[in-house]
Amino acid sequence: MDFNPSQREAILHRDGPMLVLAGPGSGKTRVITERTRYLIRECQISPSNILVITFTKAAAAEMRERFRVRMGAQTPPVTFGTFHAVFFSILKYAYHYTAENIVREDQKLSCMRGIIGKMDLEYEDETEFITSVLGEIGLIKNSGIDLAHYYSVNCAEEVFRRIYSRYHEYLYQHRLIDFEDMLVYTWELFSERKDILAAWQNKYRYILIDEFQDINKLQFDIVKLLAGERRNLFVVGDDDQSIYRFRGAKPELMLHFKDDFPEARMVLLDVNYRSQANIVNHSLNLIGHNQERFQKRIQAAAEKTTDIEYVVFEDQRKENLRIIRDIAEHRERGGSYEDFAVLFRTHTQPRLLMEQLMEYNIPFRTKDKIPNLYEHWIARDIFAYLRIAQGSRERRDFLQIMNRPKRYITRESLDAETVAFDAWEWFFEEQPWVAERIRKLEADVKRLSRMNPYAAINYIRKGIGYDEFCTDYADYRRIRVEDLYEVLDELQESAKGYDDFDGWYDHIETYTKELEQLSKKREREGEECVSLATLHSAKGLEYENVYLIDVNEGLMPYKKAVLDAEIEEERRMFYVGMTRAKKNLHLFSVRQFNQKDAEISRFIAESQENVSPPCR
């Protein structure tokens, strides 16, 4: 097989630590599998002494298959696995765990529902709250943060610590472990039992790690123990593609690898075999604006074939129509839907694009689970108001909105299955200020009944005061009120153009059914589709034509990114998006996003500049 000089240098490395900087499309999987083969065939290393670690099951399976093909009929017993799979196998020998000891998702959800159900907490979406809290628990374990010094973003510190402690007690009592515990318990085992550590050090004498930029502190601490005095640690990754800090990934561990292993050799895989030269050069211009990185000179194997397209559209609808036109023209020329990918920053962005693709019968597949806007708890509140305006007098609709905004109405005042406004007002005869609020609600719903969907939502927000309720709720939950306003803006935008509720409701029903079908389609392979993906889930993939949409400030970089380290991670995400393209890259911005003026992202200008960042 042909290898370039830098690939050959990495492959022929035998003993001691090595850091391989592998840019996009640089053939890192080939390098890892070929080095493994070299150790076995040329260096006479026992295959059972080699450990290859990846971050996903799919990557481990692909690596194993490539190695099998390269080695021929008899595949040597090299260990390929994820961090969690490898560490769990270690725990199985030490503690006799089986798969039954790994907590299932339904067990975690049931446990958390039981915990928070006894704590009288206020939240609108239980699953969303539980998922967020479990994410925080995982981050603490992965990062080794002291619980006493952690400040929750979802609830008060005292509340979070009680949830954390009760969750841990549940796992302990049922002899269960979660994925983060696999790391914690392995580190504790190796730290306390030097004899067990020595046995595994003797077992895995050569360790290769893929996607090293995504490693967290606990994983690295365990790997260092496992490498021991032999220090045969071969790590491959790209600091410019580290985009999982929210999961605990620490790109600085890669940047400072030589602090832990001063004798480590370093090699840069400096040829991009995926993207044409123009894409490589513009993406390097962009990422060169990051300060905390290794400086790299990367060249493209393919010459420049097309210019990168930068376009600013009036709004998302026109932006989407341009993408649809390009896809249709490509198909007329005999091309495939598979040649196209549309990438975006957040999984809520593509709703309008999906609706328009459905209108034009263009099949698509999402790499992420796209939430249904119309099932969000805010949408359920708005729909309850609209049902009442259209004549509903069901108790459940009134219970849903009676204190949104706060009206100080008690549940006991609604004791019948249907609601009569005059009887409801009479219930508060001795509290006339509450009765007055009910009279205002009655007048408000009468006004709503005469409005179209767009105007009605606007009145609920501004005239009735639903925006104020969102402000109070965001303050209580310690979340950004802008995130709630964004849901309202998108809901209001979706109602635009509908003169009556029947037409809008029919659209919502059709979209919901399509989304359910789409969820099933995500599991099927072989069907020719356009790919829609967030920048996070697009990592590792490649396409002939890539569209990065809504390249605007507040989205790319995302509005929550404030600190320099956060902006640098946003820039790395954009770099990942750009380098998915093989031939054609389109960067699209809009002047208005959800009916609000939008500024073009700084990343557009940065990608067009030539910069010379300081060398690390």
Side-chain angles (χ1 to χ4, degrees):
M1 297 180 76
D2 293 329
F3 295 97
N4 65 44
S6 58
Q7 289 176 327
R8 194 173 298 111
E9 182 183 351
I11 290 165
L12 300 181
H13 174 72
R14 174 165 174 164
D15 295 318
M18 174 174 265
L19 172 61
V20 180
L21 297 174
S26 60
K28 67 182 177 65
T29 303
R30 285 182 71 208
V31 166
I32 293 171
T33 53
E34 194 63 23
R35 184 192 179 234
T36 305
R37 178 181 179 275
Y38 169 77
L39 289 174
I40 296 168
R41 289 280 173 89
E42 306 301 328
C43 304
Q44 306 304 309
I45 305 300
S46 171
S48 62
N49 291 149
I50 301 173
L51 170 63
V52 182
I53 302 178
T54 67
F55 274 81
T56 67
K57 280 200 253 185
E62 180 190 357
M63 198 88 72
R64 187 184 297 110
E65 176 59 17
R66 286 207 195 184
F67 179 68
R68 185 194 66 77
V69 171
R70 188 73 182 102
M71 293 300 291
Q74 289 188 326
T75 307
V78 173
T79 300
F80 290 90
T82 63
F83 276 105
H84 291 103
V86 171
F87 294 162
F88 185 65
S89 69
I90 291 169
L91 295 176
K92 281 200 293 187
Y93 281 101
Y95 302 128
H96 307 293
Y97 283 137
T98 69
E100 293 298 313
N101 296 111
I102 302 174
V103 65
R104 302 189 311 273
E105 281 302 309
D106 62 316
Q107 288 176 306
K108 284 165 71 172
L109 290 173
S110 176
C111 162
M112 292 295 283
R113 286 193 183 104
I115 292 170
I116 66 176
K118 298 173 182 175
M119 298 181 72
D120 194 29
L121 301 178
E122 283 188 34
Y123 48 79
E124 294 305 322
D125 189 306
E126 183 184 71
T127 302
E128 179 186 55
F129 178 73
I130 289 173
T131 301
S132 298
V133 170
L134 284 171
E136 289 192 88
I137 291 173
L139 184 63
I140 289 171
K141 292 181 180 182
N142 283 331
S143 306
I145 301 171
D146 186 338
L147 182 60
H149 299 144
Y150 179 77
Y151 296 92
S152 172
V153 297
N154 282 288
C155 47
E157 281 70 56
E158 180 187 342
V159 171
F160 179 78
R161 287 167 195 156
R162 277 192 326 201
I163 294 173
Y164 184 101
S165 299
R166 291 177 186 178
Y167 172 68
H168 183 72
E169 287 170 12
Y170 171 84
L171 295 180
Y172 181 79
Q173 288 170 0
H174 293 83
R175 202 167 185 265
L176 295 170
I177 60 173
D178 59 23
F179 282 106
E180 288 75 27
D181 288 332
M182 292 180 193
L183 310 185
V184 174
Y185 291 172
T186 302
W187 183 83
E188 290 175 349
L189 177 68
F190 282 174
S191 300
E192 295 167 8
R193 292 290 303 273
K194 300 304 179 187
D195 56 331
I196 293 177
L197 172 60
W200 286 102
Q201 287 173 337
N202 197 49
K203 162 73 173 167
Y204 294 130
R205 299 184 176 205
Y206 289 84
I207 304 169
L208 298 84
I209 302 177
D210 187 22
E211 303 285 8
F212 186 69
Q213 75 278 353
D214 295 331
I215 201 166
N216 66 44
K217 183 179 182 302
L218 194 51
Q219 288 166 339
F220 190 41
D221 287 343
I222 297 168
V223 165
K224 284 190 290 185
L225 288 173
L226 199 54
E229 293 182 2
R230 291 188 183 88
R231 298 167 77 80
N232 290 328
L233 191 57
F234 182 89
V235 301
V236 183
D238 183 5
D239 54 304
D240 290 332
Q241 296 187 70
S242 180
I243 60 174
Y244 296 113
R245 188 179 287 273
F246 69 96
R247 292 183 192 163
K250 299 284 186 186
E252 54 268 30
L253 295 173
M254 184 171 191
L255 291 169
H256 299 288
F257 183 75
K258 294 195 81 167
D259 293 347
D260 293 283
F261 297 90
E263 77 278 26
R265 291 171 61 193
M266 188 164 78
V267 62
L268 168 66
L269 303 186
D270 56 358
V271 181
N272 182 321
Y273 294 97
R274 174 190 300 151
S275 306
Q276 55 110 334
N278 212 23
I279 294 168
V280 172
N281 294 336
H282 279 71
S283 64
L284 288 173
N285 288 345
L286 171 89
I287 203 63
H289 283 265
N290 275 5
Q291 301 298 310
E292 291 296 312
R293 66 184 290 265
F294 291 109
Q295 186 179 15
K296 307 175 187 71
R297 294 188 183 278
I298 298 175
Q299 58 185 327
E303 295 181 358
K304 173 184 172 180
T305 53
T306 57
D307 288 324
I308 292 174
E309 184 183 31
Y310 300 89
V311 185
V312 182
F313 295 90
E314 191 61 35
D315 55 30
Q316 289 170 284
R317 192 171 292 278
K318 290 180 180 176
E319 175 186 51
N320 297 339
L321 285 173
R322 166 58 197 283
I323 296 170
I324 289 168
R325 188 194 77 188
D326 286 359
I327 294 170
E329 289 178 354
H330 183 74
R331 285 284 292 172
E332 286 174 7
R333 295 192 299 269
S336 168
Y337 289 125
E338 294 288 334
D339 295 335
F340 286 84
V342 183
L343 309 182
F344 33 86
R345 175 62 180 84
T346 71
H347 65 357
T348 59
Q349 268 173 269
R351 179 198 56 80
L352 181 59
L353 172 61
M354 289 161 59
E355 292 182 358
Q356 289 179 259
L357 288 170
M358 290 173 189
E359 287 174 19
Y360 284 84
N361 294 315
I362 294 176
F364 60 92
R365 179 187 297 112
T366 60
K367 297 293 180 183
D368 312 80
K369 187 177 188 307
I370 304 297
N372 188 345
L373 168 71
Y374 306 115
E375 292 175 353
H376 194 284
W377 62 266
I378 285 177
R380 292 199 299 268
D381 286 354
I382 299 300
F383 292 150
Y385 266 113
L386 297 179
R387 282 194 297 272
I388 292 169
Q390 293 176 294
S392 169
R393 292 298 177 263
E394 290 191 28
R395 179 175 180 263
R396 62 181 181 179
D397 286 335
F398 285 87
L399 286 173
Q400 181 143 348
I401 56 86
M402 67 185 187
N403 284 312
R404 298 175 186 186
K406 194 71 175 173
R407 298 182 177 94
Y408 300 95
I409 301 173
T410 58
R411 292 179 68 89
E412 292 74 21
S413 65
L414 294 173
D415 56 356
E417 284 305 307
T418 56
V419 177
F421 273 104
D422 53 355
W424 201 15
E425 291 172 29
W426 179 82
F427 184 91
F428 291 101
E429 187 179 18
E430 296 181 5
Q431 295 171 283
W433 54 279
V434 178
E436 176 57 34
R437 283 172 166 78
I438 293 173
R439 278 192 291 275
K440 183 180 184 310
L441 174 60
E442 184 177 16
D444 283 334
V445 297
K446 283 180 181 175
R447 288 191 184 95
L448 287 176
S449 67
R450 297 189 292 270
M451 298 178 183
N452 64 34
Y454 181 88
I457 295 172
N458 191 61
Y459 186 76
I460 292 168
R461 296 182 65 179
K462 311 298 183 186
I464 294 179
Y466 193 84
D467 278 9
E468 293 172 24
F469 159 73
C470 287
T471 302
D472 293 340
Y473 178 76
D475 185 55
Y476 170 80
R477 274 288 315 280
R478 298 186 177 190
I479 58 178
R480 287 168 50 92
V481 69
E482 289 82 4
D483 293 343
L484 305 184
Y485 289 163
E486 195 172 281
V487 175
L488 285 162
D489 290 342
E490 194 176 352
L491 190 66
Q492 196 169 342
E493 175 69 14
S494 78
K496 202 172 186 180
Y498 290 94
D499 295 328
D500 57 62
F501 287 97
D502 288 342
W504 189 43
Y505 289 157
D506 286 345
H507 165 75
I508 291 170
E509 184 179 354
T510 301
Y511 175 77
T512 299
K513 286 178 181 176
E514 291 278 0
L515 205 58
E516 289 171 0
Q517 290 299 316
L518 186 64
S519 181
K520 296 173 185 174
K521 186 188 294 183
R522 284 172 61 230
E523 308 301 322
R524 298 200 304 268
E525 293 299 329
E527 191 172 352
E528 195 185 305
C529 293
V530 173
S531 290
L532 310 184
T534 61
L535 295 176
H536 280 112
S537 63
K539 189 164 172 285
L541 304 174
E542 58 182 43
Y543 305 90
E544 295 291 311
N545 308 285
V546 169
Y547 295 76
L548 268 69
I549 61 171
D550 309 330
V551 186
N552 293 86
E553 291 291 317
L555 286 165
M556 298 180 188
Y558 195 51
K559 57 195 172 187
K560 292 182 182 179
V562 178
L563 304 175
D564 288 346
E566 294 169 338
I567 293 294
E568 293 213 345
E569 177 137 333
E570 292 291 316
R571 191 175 283 114
R572 291 195 292 270
M573 269 187 267
F574 197 72
Y575 175 75
V576 166
M578 292 179 73
T579 54
R580 298 312 93 196
K582 293 161 71 173
K583 289 186 179 178
N584 300 304
L585 175 62
H586 309 263
L587 305 180
F588 287 176
S589 304
V590 292
R591 291 192 178 89
Q592 282 210 327
F593 185 82
N594 283 342
Q595 303 176 76
K596 294 181 180 177
D597 290 343
E599 183 182 349
I600 295 173
S601 170
R602 69 194 79 175
F603 294 160
I604 295 291
E606 289 176 1
S607 69
Q608 296 173 300
E609 296 174 5
N610 283 306
V611 294
S612 299
C615 184
R616 283 191 62 86

